[in-house]
Amino acid sequence: MRFLKTALITSGVLFAVTTVQAADLTVTITGIENPGGTINVGVMDGAEGFPSKRKALTGKRVKAEGETTTIVFTGLKPGLYAMAGWYDENANDKFDTNLLGMPAEPYGFSNNARGSFGPPSFEDAAIKLTEDGASTSFQMVK
Amino acid sequence: MERRQFLQSFALSLALGTVTGSPLLAANDRWKDDFAAALKQKPWLIGYKGVNSNFEKVSLKVKGTLPERLNGTLFRNGAAQHEVGDFRYHHWFDGDGMVQAFNFNQGQVTHEGRFVETNKFKQESDVDAAVFQTFGTHDPQLRSARSADEVSVANISVIKHNGELLALWEGGSAYRLDTDSLETLGLKAWTDDTAGLPFSAHPRVDQDGTLWNFGYAPAFGALVVYRISPQGQLVDRAVVPMPATPMVHDFLITENHLVLILPPYNFDASNGGSFLDSFEWQPEKGGRALIINKNDLSAQKIVEIPAFWVFHFANGFEDSNGDICFDAPLYQSPDIMTSVFTEVMRGNEVASQGSELMQCKLNPLTGAFEMNAVAEAIGSEFPRIDQRRQGQRHGFTTLMKGVEGEAYRGLNQVLRVDHDNQSTEAYAFGASEMAEEHVFVPDPASDKEGQGWLIGTSLDFERNTSSLNVFNAERLADGPVAVMEMDYVIPLGLHGNFYAS
């Protein structure tokens, strides 16, 4: 999950270049069956390489306190954003997979978008962020 | 695993569903109505109608004489719920799996059937509507799968290993069932790193009790091979890269090898449609056999063989020259699966070439391949042997045989092929009967191959009854020695196994 790790590193830098036109993207993560692990969410602002080969614009990593957890990304420019997230259920700092690389921990995309023989498209997962901000939710499913 | 490979795999694994964005079909989907109309004209379709509720346990009346030493349970699995809400699936293999248990106990016989409560079954039951794309049904209004386990119908076979009853599919994990109540207990994970991997429906039990299995993962261009101890522990496994993306339904074990026949029936997601639609028959590419050393799963060899389609093998063994011998009903193409088992779901008959039972010999070094047809077994399926001969030279194979060219009408003969004497013996069911797989049950008082009984089910579409039949395996032509008739129809199913008590 390079895109999520990269997101974590770059997010701090990106806050520094926040412009006057800034809005908040609020996302509620649902479907956490075993709280106590870590929710990881990356925000992406374009289709190229989405999701696994694109650097996240920003990202957050928060402890899951219950079945739902709300995360706010502040200071984003109005525009289209898609989120990808995974839940580090056993808090081992890695996205566990089976031998073939199939996810062994819950994950999800904004709009609860699903792909076909692959991840969803950026367009299917995209949320429109206006100057007034946006709120959305998506589910983490194994 | 390399990171690049991992990312690629992750991307591929996020969903196993079907391509979306095709013209909407659901609004005009008439399959349920078409089938209902056809059923009025063609009573044999009753076997494909399906049910929506479990069969509660009942005692069956025994006609004839049950062998005293026949005690245990025949478990069978098969697609049983073909309609969810107003939606009828477009392929026989799509229906939700139901496990049937026929218990023989001191002359008393009971039957019960219970749906495997898969994730898909539960989610769709909650809303009384089809929710997910399936193996052979493409409808853009249905949801693509995030993983195989999300959409498993657990409908192909059922085994008991180390006392654990497992309902098997082939796309993902097995489901664990309670041996007595048939209640679903959950997904079977052999280990953390094999959880969610494909686990096929035709595992084979070796002479020492080892359970061998494989799973094909065409989106990954790989096969997974499993070695499970008699105590139910995964003791070895391997991911085998494939030279192509074939559909592989069954395999063979011999004394020294695992043998996987890789038909040129390859997956390409860009073909669109359902999972099944994504496979393309490419006979010009030829077939392949993958031969793996049982004691070193990394020792793998691929040899080129002729192109054919195959569902099931009877058995494989190595002869004194080291050649790999096996017998199986082989097909010139998979059209029985792509057309016959699709069209029957809306009540249409489609002619199909059917199978030929071939006795095959493969030289694992040169790839030299010979095959000889058993003429009497044309149009047969569901090959079985005396399991005590698994992986060793076997003297006979039993099969179910259909009406030539009319695969849609099901199977109406049970046949025993004697390989040593090159002879066959058969029993023909009545004209209104459709017979299902019959399995060999050894007589516990004999260790001679083939001494025992052949047990299986059939349905009578004129009487709307199903029957459980017991044959003396050495005297098939005499007809069943005992028949237990039910006053209801069990949907035509797939595979089962008998476990003595």
Side-chain angles (χ1 to χ4, degrees), chain A residues 1-3 5 52 95 97-103 107-109 114-119 141, chain B residues 1 3 6 9-11 13-18 143-144 146 150 193 195 197 217 220 237 267 269:
Chain A
M1 299 300 283
R2 174 179 285 163
F3 70 95
K5 284 180 185 162
S52 55
F95 184 57
T97 62
N98 65 22
L99 277 176
L100 284 181
M102 297 172 181
Y107 65 93
F109 294 94
R114 287 166 171 257
S116 45
F117 298 121
V141 182
Chain B
M1 182 177 277
R3 171 155 294 272
F6 165 75
S9 302
F10 175 74
S13 67
L14 289 174
L16 180 77
T18 56
R143 201 186 287 169
S144 295
R146 296 168 59 103
E150 188 183 37
D193 68 355
L197 292 181
F220 295 82
R237 82 282 191 281
F267 175 87

mmCIF file of all heavy atoms in Angstrom, chain A residues 1-3 5 52 95 97-103 107-109 114-119 141, chain B residues 1 3 6 9-11 13-18 143-144 146 150 193 195 197 217 220 237 267 269:
data_model
loop_
_atom_site.group_PDB
_atom_site.id
_atom_site.type_symbol
_atom_site.label_atom_id
_atom_site.label_comp_id
_atom_site.label_asym_id
_atom_site.label_seq_id
_atom_site.Cartn_x
_atom_site.Cartn_y
_atom_site.Cartn_z
ATOM 1 N N MET A 1 0.847 -1.205 0.000
ATOM 2 C CA MET A 1 0.000 0.000 0.000
ATOM 3 C C MET A 1 0.872 1.241 0.000
ATOM 4 O O MET A 1 0.843 2.057 0.907
ATOM 5 C CB MET A 1 -0.918 -0.007 1.216
ATOM 6 C CG MET A 1 -1.861 -1.197 1.264
ATOM 7 S SD MET A 1 -2.950 -1.246 -0.161
ATOM 8 C CE MET A 1 -4.118 0.025 0.306
ATOM 9 N N ARG A 2 1.693 1.383 -1.047
ATOM 10 C CA ARG A 2 2.614 2.509 -1.110
ATOM 11 C C ARG A 2 1.866 3.830 -1.080
ATOM 12 O O ARG A 2 2.283 4.781 -0.453
ATOM 13 C CB ARG A 2 3.445 2.407 -2.388
ATOM 14 C CG ARG A 2 4.337 3.608 -2.616
ATOM 15 C CD ARG A 2 5.136 3.445 -3.871
ATOM 16 N NE ARG A 2 6.211 2.491 -3.686
ATOM 17 C CZ ARG A 2 6.851 1.919 -4.687
ATOM 18 N NH1 ARG A 2 6.507 2.175 -5.915
ATOM 19 N NH2 ARG A 2 7.829 1.068 -4.464
ATOM 20 N N PHE A 3 0.721 3.863 -1.749
ATOM 21 C CA PHE A 3 0.027 5.139 -1.855
ATOM 22 C C PHE A 3 -0.408 5.668 -0.491
ATOM 23 O O PHE A 3 -0.435 6.855 -0.255
ATOM 24 C CB PHE A 3 -1.157 5.054 -2.831
ATOM 25 C CG PHE A 3 -2.318 4.236 -2.377
ATOM 26 C CD1 PHE A 3 -3.405 4.847 -1.755
ATOM 27 C CD2 PHE A 3 -2.348 2.866 -2.579
ATOM 28 C CE1 PHE A 3 -4.492 4.095 -1.357
ATOM 29 C CE2 PHE A 3 -3.428 2.130 -2.183
ATOM 30 C CZ PHE A 3 -4.502 2.730 -1.566
ATOM 31 N N LYS A 5 1.138 4.890 2.449
ATOM 32 C CA LYS A 5 2.322 5.259 3.214
ATOM 33 C C LYS A 5 2.861 6.604 2.738
ATOM 34 O O LYS A 5 3.217 7.470 3.515
ATOM 35 C CB LYS A 5 3.400 4.188 3.076
ATOM 36 C CG LYS A 5 3.064 2.966 3.921
ATOM 37 C CD LYS A 5 4.110 1.902 3.792
ATOM 38 C CE LYS A 5 3.663 0.667 4.563
ATOM 39 N NZ LYS A 5 4.379 -0.520 4.155
ATOM 40 N N SER A 52 -3.553 2.515 -6.689
ATOM 41 C CA SER A 52 -2.353 1.987 -6.042
ATOM 42 C C SER A 52 -1.061 2.585 -6.567
ATOM 43 O O SER A 52 -0.016 2.433 -5.950
ATOM 44 C CB SER A 52 -2.329 0.459 -6.162
ATOM 45 O OG SER A 52 -2.441 0.099 -7.505
ATOM 46 N N PHE A 95 -0.585 -3.758 5.583
ATOM 47 C CA PHE A 95 -1.832 -4.216 4.984
ATOM 48 C C PHE A 95 -1.659 -5.697 4.693
ATOM 49 O O PHE A 95 -0.985 -6.082 3.742
ATOM 50 C CB PHE A 95 -2.106 -3.422 3.699
ATOM 51 C CG PHE A 95 -3.424 -3.765 3.060
ATOM 52 C CD1 PHE A 95 -4.608 -3.632 3.765
ATOM 53 C CD2 PHE A 95 -3.480 -4.202 1.751
ATOM 54 C CE1 PHE A 95 -5.828 -3.944 3.178
ATOM 55 C CE2 PHE A 95 -4.691 -4.520 1.154
ATOM 56 C CZ PHE A 95 -5.869 -4.380 1.872
ATOM 57 N N THR A 97 -2.058 -9.422 3.550
ATOM 58 C CA THR A 97 -2.661 -10.080 2.390
ATOM 59 C C THR A 97 -2.385 -11.574 2.494
ATOM 60 O O THR A 97 -1.542 -12.000 3.284
ATOM 61 C CB THR A 97 -2.030 -9.586 1.069
ATOM 62 O OG1 THR A 97 -0.640 -9.924 1.073
ATOM 63 C CG2 THR A 97 -2.193 -8.091 0.902
ATOM 64 N N ASN A 98 -3.102 -12.352 1.706
ATOM 65 C CA ASN A 98 -2.780 -13.773 1.640
ATOM 66 C C ASN A 98 -1.672 -13.998 0.612
ATOM 67 O O ASN A 98 -1.111 -13.034 0.078
ATOM 68 C CB ASN A 98 -4.041 -14.610 1.368
ATOM 69 C CG ASN A 98 -4.645 -14.328 -0.002
ATOM 70 O OD1 ASN A 98 -3.967 -13.857 -0.902
ATOM 71 N ND2 ASN A 98 -5.918 -14.635 -0.151
ATOM 72 N N LEU A 99 -1.388 -15.258 0.345
ATOM 73 C CA LEU A 99 -0.260 -15.594 -0.529
ATOM 74 C C LEU A 99 -0.328 -14.967 -1.913
ATOM 75 O O LEU A 99 0.691 -14.725 -2.538
ATOM 76 C CB LEU A 99 -0.210 -17.122 -0.720
ATOM 77 C CG LEU A 99 0.465 -17.949 0.355
ATOM 78 C CD1 LEU A 99 0.314 -19.418 0.019
ATOM 79 C CD2 LEU A 99 1.931 -17.570 0.461
ATOM 80 N N LEU A 100 -1.531 -14.739 -2.396
ATOM 81 C CA LEU A 100 -1.672 -14.168 -3.736
ATOM 82 C C LEU A 100 -1.773 -12.648 -3.706
ATOM 83 O O LEU A 100 -1.927 -12.019 -4.746
ATOM 84 C CB LEU A 100 -2.905 -14.742 -4.439
ATOM 85 C CG LEU A 100 -2.790 -16.164 -4.979
ATOM 86 C CD1 LEU A 100 -4.085 -16.567 -5.667
ATOM 87 C CD2 LEU A 100 -1.632 -16.305 -5.948
ATOM 88 N N GLY A 101 -1.718 -12.070 -2.511
ATOM 89 C CA GLY A 101 -1.831 -10.620 -2.427
ATOM 90 C C GLY A 101 -3.259 -10.131 -2.289
ATOM 91 O O GLY A 101 -3.528 -8.943 -2.411
ATOM 92 N N MET A 102 -4.182 -11.063 -2.060
ATOM 93 C CA MET A 102 -5.564 -10.626 -1.849
ATOM 94 C C MET A 102 -5.666 -10.028 -0.441
ATOM 95 O O MET A 102 -5.089 -10.566 0.505
ATOM 96 C CB MET A 102 -6.518 -11.818 -1.925
ATOM 97 C CG MET A 102 -6.550 -12.498 -3.273
ATOM 98 S SD MET A 102 -7.524 -14.030 -3.150
ATOM 99 C CE MET A 102 -7.394 -14.650 -4.819
ATOM 100 N N PRO A 103 -6.403 -8.921 -0.293
ATOM 101 C CA PRO A 103 -6.492 -8.273 1.012
ATOM 102 C C PRO A 103 -7.019 -9.214 2.092
ATOM 103 O O PRO A 103 -7.980 -9.948 1.874
ATOM 104 C CB PRO A 103 -7.497 -7.142 0.772
ATOM 105 C CG PRO A 103 -7.455 -6.891 -0.692
ATOM 106 C CD PRO A 103 -7.168 -8.214 -1.326
ATOM 107 N N TYR A 107 -11.020 -3.042 3.746
ATOM 108 C CA TYR A 107 -10.619 -1.870 2.970
ATOM 109 C C TYR A 107 -11.857 -1.297 2.306
ATOM 110 O O TYR A 107 -12.925 -1.926 2.312
ATOM 111 C CB TYR A 107 -9.552 -2.248 1.914
ATOM 112 C CG TYR A 107 -10.070 -3.180 0.863
ATOM 113 C CD1 TYR A 107 -10.586 -2.704 -0.345
ATOM 114 C CD2 TYR A 107 -10.099 -4.552 1.089
ATOM 115 C CE1 TYR A 107 -11.096 -3.576 -1.295
ATOM 116 C CE2 TYR A 107 -10.606 -5.427 0.140
ATOM 117 C CZ TYR A 107 -11.101 -4.927 -1.052
ATOM 118 O OH TYR A 107 -11.619 -5.785 -1.986
ATOM 119 N N GLY A 108 -11.719 -0.121 1.743
ATOM 120 C CA GLY A 108 -12.874 0.465 1.060
ATOM 121 C C GLY A 108 -12.492 1.716 0.287
ATOM 122 O O GLY A 108 -11.365 2.233 0.420
ATOM 123 N N PHE A 109 -13.413 2.155 -0.531
ATOM 124 C CA PHE A 109 -13.231 3.364 -1.345
ATOM 125 C C PHE A 109 -14.414 4.298 -1.127
ATOM 126 O O PHE A 109 -15.519 3.836 -0.823
ATOM 127 C CB PHE A 109 -13.136 3.001 -2.838
ATOM 128 C CG PHE A 109 -11.920 2.198 -3.180
ATOM 129 C CD1 PHE A 109 -11.974 0.813 -3.207
ATOM 130 C CD2 PHE A 109 -10.719 2.829 -3.460
ATOM 131 C CE1 PHE A 109 -10.837 0.061 -3.500
ATOM 132 C CE2 PHE A 109 -9.584 2.079 -3.758
ATOM 133 C CZ PHE A 109 -9.640 0.704 -3.782
ATOM 134 N N ARG A 114 -16.928 0.061 -6.209
ATOM 135 C CA ARG A 114 -16.388 -1.273 -6.464
ATOM 136 C C ARG A 114 -15.883 -1.323 -7.883
ATOM 137 O O ARG A 114 -16.464 -0.709 -8.769
ATOM 138 C CB ARG A 114 -17.498 -2.328 -6.368
ATOM 139 C CG ARG A 114 -17.955 -2.592 -4.977
ATOM 140 C CD ARG A 114 -19.250 -3.376 -4.993
ATOM 141 N NE ARG A 114 -19.547 -3.797 -3.624
ATOM 142 C CZ ARG A 114 -19.351 -5.017 -3.158
ATOM 143 N NH1 ARG A 114 -18.893 -5.969 -3.935
ATOM 144 N NH2 ARG A 114 -19.621 -5.307 -1.920
ATOM 145 N N GLY A 115 -14.860 -2.065 -8.082
ATOM 146 C CA GLY A 115 -14.343 -2.203 -9.432
ATOM 147 C C GLY A 115 -14.865 -3.453 -10.092
ATOM 148 O O GLY A 115 -15.772 -4.105 -9.598
ATOM 149 N N SER A 116 -14.298 -3.747 -11.222
ATOM 150 C CA SER A 116 -14.619 -5.004 -11.871
ATOM 151 C C SER A 116 -13.302 -5.620 -12.283
ATOM 152 O O SER A 116 -12.594 -5.062 -13.102
ATOM 153 C CB SER A 116 -15.523 -4.769 -13.073
ATOM 154 O OG SER A 116 -15.054 -3.697 -13.824
ATOM 155 N N PHE A 117 -12.968 -6.752 -11.685
ATOM 156 C CA PHE A 117 -11.663 -7.403 -11.864
ATOM 157 C C PHE A 117 -10.534 -6.438 -11.523
ATOM 158 O O PHE A 117 -9.468 -6.478 -12.105
ATOM 159 C CB PHE A 117 -11.487 -7.934 -13.286
ATOM 160 C CG PHE A 117 -12.495 -8.980 -13.656
ATOM 161 C CD1 PHE A 117 -13.344 -8.790 -14.731
ATOM 162 C CD2 PHE A 117 -12.610 -10.147 -12.925
ATOM 163 C CE1 PHE A 117 -14.276 -9.751 -15.072
ATOM 164 C CE2 PHE A 117 -13.535 -11.100 -13.265
ATOM 165 C CZ PHE A 117 -14.370 -10.913 -14.341
ATOM 166 N N GLY A 118 -10.752 -5.542 -10.577
ATOM 167 C CA GLY A 118 -9.727 -4.594 -10.201
ATOM 168 C C GLY A 118 -10.351 -3.519 -9.339
ATOM 169 O O GLY A 118 -11.530 -3.595 -9.011
ATOM 170 N N PRO A 119 -9.558 -2.520 -8.964
ATOM 171 C CA PRO A 119 -10.121 -1.467 -8.116
ATOM 172 C C PRO A 119 -11.100 -0.601 -8.901
ATOM 173 O O PRO A 119 -11.108 -0.623 -10.127
ATOM 174 C CB PRO A 119 -8.874 -0.669 -7.707
ATOM 175 C CG PRO A 119 -7.886 -0.932 -8.778
ATOM 176 C CD PRO A 119 -8.153 -2.310 -9.289
ATOM 177 N N VAL A 141 -14.647 -3.081 4.330
ATOM 178 C CA VAL A 141 -15.122 -4.464 4.224
ATOM 179 C C VAL A 141 -13.946 -5.363 3.890
ATOM 180 O O VAL A 141 -13.082 -5.002 3.095
ATOM 181 C CB VAL A 141 -16.199 -4.598 3.118
ATOM 182 C CG1 VAL A 141 -16.727 -6.016 3.056
ATOM 183 C CG2 VAL A 141 -17.337 -3.621 3.339
ATOM 184 N N MET B 1 7.148 -11.695 -1.716
ATOM 185 C CA MET B 1 6.545 -11.203 -2.950
ATOM 186 C C MET B 1 7.092 -9.815 -3.280
ATOM 187 O O MET B 1 7.196 -8.958 -2.416
ATOM 188 C CB MET B 1 5.026 -11.140 -2.761
ATOM 189 C CG MET B 1 4.287 -10.699 -3.991
ATOM 190 S SD MET B 1 2.491 -10.728 -3.767
ATOM 191 C CE MET B 1 2.115 -12.430 -4.093
ATOM 192 N N ARG B 3 7.319 -6.019 -4.463
ATOM 193 C CA ARG B 3 6.319 -4.978 -4.259
ATOM 194 C C ARG B 3 5.483 -4.732 -5.509
ATOM 195 O O ARG B 3 4.274 -4.586 -5.443
ATOM 196 C CB ARG B 3 7.024 -3.684 -3.824
ATOM 197 C CG ARG B 3 6.119 -2.464 -3.787
ATOM 198 C CD ARG B 3 6.622 -1.435 -2.838
ATOM 199 N NE ARG B 3 6.581 -1.909 -1.478
ATOM 200 C CZ ARG B 3 5.530 -1.790 -0.678
ATOM 201 N NH1 ARG B 3 4.430 -1.239 -1.127
ATOM 202 N NH2 ARG B 3 5.547 -2.229 0.535
ATOM 203 N N PHE B 6 3.072 -7.281 -5.865
ATOM 204 C CA PHE B 6 2.054 -7.131 -4.843
ATOM 205 C C PHE B 6 1.018 -6.095 -5.249
ATOM 206 O O PHE B 6 -0.182 -6.305 -5.148
ATOM 207 C CB PHE B 6 2.697 -6.730 -3.511
ATOM 208 C CG PHE B 6 1.712 -6.212 -2.520
ATOM 209 C CD1 PHE B 6 0.865 -7.097 -1.874
ATOM 210 C CD2 PHE B 6 1.587 -4.871 -2.269
ATOM 211 C CE1 PHE B 6 -0.073 -6.631 -0.986
ATOM 212 C CE2 PHE B 6 0.650 -4.392 -1.385
ATOM 213 C CZ PHE B 6 -0.188 -5.274 -0.732
ATOM 214 N N SER B 9 -1.136 -7.358 -7.864
ATOM 215 C CA SER B 9 -2.067 -8.331 -7.315
ATOM 216 C C SER B 9 -3.162 -7.635 -6.544
ATOM 217 O O SER B 9 -4.322 -7.986 -6.628
ATOM 218 C CB SER B 9 -1.337 -9.287 -6.381
ATOM 219 O OG SER B 9 -0.309 -9.924 -7.069
ATOM 220 N N PHE B 10 -2.765 -6.623 -5.786
ATOM 221 C CA PHE B 10 -3.765 -5.901 -5.010
ATOM 222 C C PHE B 10 -4.816 -5.315 -5.941
ATOM 223 O O PHE B 10 -6.016 -5.452 -5.728
ATOM 224 C CB PHE B 10 -3.111 -4.795 -4.192
ATOM 225 C CG PHE B 10 -4.105 -3.942 -3.460
ATOM 226 C CD1 PHE B 10 -4.744 -4.435 -2.339
ATOM 227 C CD2 PHE B 10 -4.419 -2.677 -3.910
ATOM 228 C CE1 PHE B 10 -5.683 -3.664 -1.678
ATOM 229 C CE2 PHE B 10 -5.354 -1.905 -3.247
ATOM 230 C CZ PHE B 10 -5.987 -2.402 -2.132
ATOM 231 N N ALA B 11 -4.323 -4.704 -6.997
ATOM 232 C CA ALA B 11 -5.245 -4.075 -7.927
ATOM 233 C C ALA B 11 -6.205 -5.111 -8.504
ATOM 234 O O ALA B 11 -7.401 -4.896 -8.591
ATOM 235 C CB ALA B 11 -4.466 -3.392 -9.046
ATOM 236 N N SER B 13 -6.992 -7.923 -7.212
ATOM 237 C CA SER B 13 -7.772 -8.666 -6.238
ATOM 238 C C SER B 13 -8.918 -7.868 -5.657
ATOM 239 O O SER B 13 -9.776 -8.412 -5.001
ATOM 240 C CB SER B 13 -6.866 -9.100 -5.090
ATOM 241 O OG SER B 13 -6.429 -7.976 -4.383
ATOM 242 N N LEU B 14 -8.925 -6.585 -5.918
ATOM 243 C CA LEU B 14 -9.936 -5.772 -5.266
ATOM 244 C C LEU B 14 -11.343 -6.199 -5.662
ATOM 245 O O LEU B 14 -12.285 -5.987 -4.936
ATOM 246 C CB LEU B 14 -9.726 -4.299 -5.592
ATOM 247 C CG LEU B 14 -8.493 -3.739 -4.895
ATOM 248 C CD1 LEU B 14 -8.234 -2.328 -5.340
ATOM 249 C CD2 LEU B 14 -8.650 -3.787 -3.387
ATOM 250 N N ALA B 15 -11.452 -6.767 -6.792
ATOM 251 C CA ALA B 15 -12.775 -7.241 -7.172
ATOM 252 C C ALA B 15 -12.645 -8.391 -8.141
ATOM 253 O O ALA B 15 -11.679 -8.504 -8.851
ATOM 254 C CB ALA B 15 -13.552 -6.119 -7.829
ATOM 255 N N LEU B 16 -13.592 -9.244 -8.094
ATOM 256 C CA LEU B 16 -13.586 -10.415 -8.970
ATOM 257 C C LEU B 16 -14.865 -10.418 -9.798
ATOM 258 O O LEU B 16 -15.204 -11.367 -10.452
ATOM 259 C CB LEU B 16 -13.502 -11.675 -8.102
ATOM 260 C CG LEU B 16 -13.480 -13.009 -8.802
ATOM 261 C CD1 LEU B 16 -12.098 -13.276 -9.376
ATOM 262 C CD2 LEU B 16 -13.841 -14.126 -7.847
ATOM 263 N N GLY B 17 -15.561 -9.336 -9.742
ATOM 264 C CA GLY B 17 -16.886 -9.309 -10.364
ATOM 265 C C GLY B 17 -16.818 -9.185 -11.857
ATOM 266 O O GLY B 17 -15.916 -9.703 -12.490
ATOM 267 N N THR B 18 -17.722 -8.510 -12.422
ATOM 268 C CA THR B 18 -17.789 -8.455 -13.864
ATOM 269 C C THR B 18 -17.759 -7.011 -14.328
ATOM 270 O O THR B 18 -17.915 -6.092 -13.556
ATOM 271 C CB THR B 18 -19.077 -9.115 -14.350
ATOM 272 O OG1 THR B 18 -20.154 -8.462 -13.694
ATOM 273 C CG2 THR B 18 -19.086 -10.573 -14.017
ATOM 274 N N ARG B 143 -24.167 -6.350 -8.058
ATOM 275 C CA ARG B 143 -22.917 -5.808 -7.548
ATOM 276 C C ARG B 143 -21.733 -6.717 -7.894
ATOM 277 O O ARG B 143 -21.824 -7.938 -7.738
ATOM 278 C CB ARG B 143 -23.053 -5.708 -6.023
ATOM 279 C CG ARG B 143 -22.114 -4.751 -5.381
ATOM 280 C CD ARG B 143 -22.233 -4.840 -3.874
ATOM 281 N NE ARG B 143 -23.458 -4.259 -3.342
ATOM 282 C CZ ARG B 143 -23.854 -4.419 -2.085
ATOM 283 N NH1 ARG B 143 -23.139 -5.141 -1.251
ATOM 284 N NH2 ARG B 143 -24.956 -3.860 -1.662
ATOM 285 N N SER B 144 -20.663 -6.115 -8.338
ATOM 286 C CA SER B 144 -19.435 -6.882 -8.559
ATOM 287 C C SER B 144 -18.897 -7.364 -7.218
ATOM 288 O O SER B 144 -19.118 -6.735 -6.192
ATOM 289 C CB SER B 144 -18.372 -6.012 -9.215
ATOM 290 O OG SER B 144 -18.780 -5.640 -10.496
ATOM 291 N N ARG B 146 -16.144 -8.087 -4.374
ATOM 292 C CA ARG B 146 -14.850 -7.591 -3.898
ATOM 293 C C ARG B 146 -13.880 -8.737 -3.732
ATOM 294 O O ARG B 146 -12.673 -8.569 -3.811
ATOM 295 C CB ARG B 146 -15.030 -6.915 -2.547
ATOM 296 C CG ARG B 146 -15.902 -5.682 -2.585
ATOM 297 C CD ARG B 146 -16.247 -5.280 -1.177
ATOM 298 N NE ARG B 146 -15.067 -5.016 -0.395
ATOM 299 C CZ ARG B 146 -14.614 -3.802 -0.089
ATOM 300 N NH1 ARG B 146 -15.249 -2.747 -0.511
ATOM 301 N NH2 ARG B 146 -13.551 -3.643 0.651
ATOM 302 N N GLU B 150 -16.824 -13.277 -0.933
ATOM 303 C CA GLU B 150 -18.033 -12.462 -0.785
ATOM 304 C C GLU B 150 -19.203 -13.046 -1.575
ATOM 305 O O GLU B 150 -20.351 -12.890 -1.192
ATOM 306 C CB GLU B 150 -17.759 -11.024 -1.251
ATOM 307 C CG GLU B 150 -18.906 -10.066 -0.944
ATOM 308 C CD GLU B 150 -18.668 -8.664 -1.469
ATOM 309 O OE1 GLU B 150 -18.086 -8.527 -2.566
ATOM 310 O OE2 GLU B 150 -19.076 -7.710 -0.792
ATOM 311 N N ASP B 193 -2.175 -17.086 5.898
ATOM 312 C CA ASP B 193 -1.735 -16.656 4.570
ATOM 313 C C ASP B 193 -2.428 -17.396 3.427
ATOM 314 O O ASP B 193 -2.209 -17.080 2.267
ATOM 315 C CB ASP B 193 -0.200 -16.704 4.435
ATOM 316 C CG ASP B 193 0.351 -18.120 4.454
ATOM 317 O OD1 ASP B 193 -0.426 -19.064 4.657
ATOM 318 O OD2 ASP B 193 1.576 -18.274 4.275
ATOM 319 N N ALA B 195 -5.885 -17.832 3.780
ATOM 320 C CA ALA B 195 -7.292 -17.443 3.932
ATOM 321 C C ALA B 195 -7.774 -16.733 2.671
ATOM 322 O O ALA B 195 -7.072 -15.878 2.134
ATOM 323 C CB ALA B 195 -7.444 -16.527 5.142
ATOM 324 N N LEU B 197 -8.052 -17.849 -0.279
ATOM 325 C CA LEU B 197 -7.542 -18.361 -1.552
ATOM 326 C C LEU B 197 -8.504 -19.399 -2.126
ATOM 327 O O LEU B 197 -9.248 -20.046 -1.394
ATOM 328 C CB LEU B 197 -6.173 -19.022 -1.352
ATOM 329 C CG LEU B 197 -5.022 -18.096 -0.983
ATOM 330 C CD1 LEU B 197 -3.726 -18.896 -0.853
ATOM 331 C CD2 LEU B 197 -4.859 -17.010 -2.036
ATOM 332 N N ALA B 217 -6.517 -19.428 -9.804
ATOM 333 C CA ALA B 217 -6.756 -17.997 -9.636
ATOM 334 C C ALA B 217 -6.388 -17.314 -10.948
ATOM 335 O O ALA B 217 -5.287 -16.786 -11.095
ATOM 336 C CB ALA B 217 -5.913 -17.459 -8.483
ATOM 337 N N PHE B 220 -4.818 -13.925 -11.379
ATOM 338 C CA PHE B 220 -3.440 -13.824 -10.906
ATOM 339 C C PHE B 220 -2.493 -14.668 -11.756
ATOM 340 O O PHE B 220 -1.309 -14.743 -11.485
ATOM 341 C CB PHE B 220 -3.337 -14.291 -9.451
ATOM 342 C CG PHE B 220 -4.090 -13.410 -8.498
ATOM 343 C CD1 PHE B 220 -5.449 -13.564 -8.319
ATOM 344 C CD2 PHE B 220 -3.436 -12.411 -7.803
ATOM 345 C CE1 PHE B 220 -6.150 -12.743 -7.457
ATOM 346 C CE2 PHE B 220 -4.128 -11.583 -6.945
ATOM 347 C CZ PHE B 220 -5.501 -11.747 -6.780
ATOM 348 N N ARG B 237 2.300 -25.853 1.007
ATOM 349 C CA ARG B 237 1.504 -25.180 -0.002
ATOM 350 C C ARG B 237 2.437 -24.477 -0.948
ATOM 351 O O ARG B 237 3.580 -24.167 -0.605
ATOM 352 C CB ARG B 237 0.478 -24.216 0.584
ATOM 353 C CG ARG B 237 0.976 -22.833 0.967
ATOM 354 C CD ARG B 237 1.718 -22.833 2.273
ATOM 355 N NE ARG B 237 1.994 -21.533 2.824
ATOM 356 C CZ ARG B 237 2.952 -20.713 2.450
ATOM 357 N NH1 ARG B 237 3.745 -21.042 1.451
ATOM 358 N NH2 ARG B 237 3.135 -19.556 3.021
ATOM 359 N N PHE B 267 -8.835 -17.151 -19.233
ATOM 360 C CA PHE B 267 -9.531 -15.993 -18.673
ATOM 361 C C PHE B 267 -8.931 -14.703 -19.203
ATOM 362 O O PHE B 267 -7.715 -14.543 -19.234
ATOM 363 C CB PHE B 267 -9.372 -16.050 -17.147
ATOM 364 C CG PHE B 267 -9.931 -14.875 -16.401
ATOM 365 C CD1 PHE B 267 -11.262 -14.850 -16.023
ATOM 366 C CD2 PHE B 267 -9.118 -13.811 -16.050
ATOM 367 C CE1 PHE B 267 -11.776 -13.774 -15.305
ATOM 368 C CE2 PHE B 267 -9.625 -12.731 -15.330
ATOM 369 C CZ PHE B 267 -10.956 -12.713 -14.972
ATOM 370 N N ALA B 269 -10.194 -10.726 -18.573
ATOM 371 C CA ALA B 269 -11.236 -9.860 -18.015
ATOM 372 C C ALA B 269 -11.789 -8.902 -19.053
ATOM 373 O O ALA B 269 -12.932 -8.465 -18.952
ATOM 374 C CB ALA B 269 -10.684 -9.090 -16.816
#
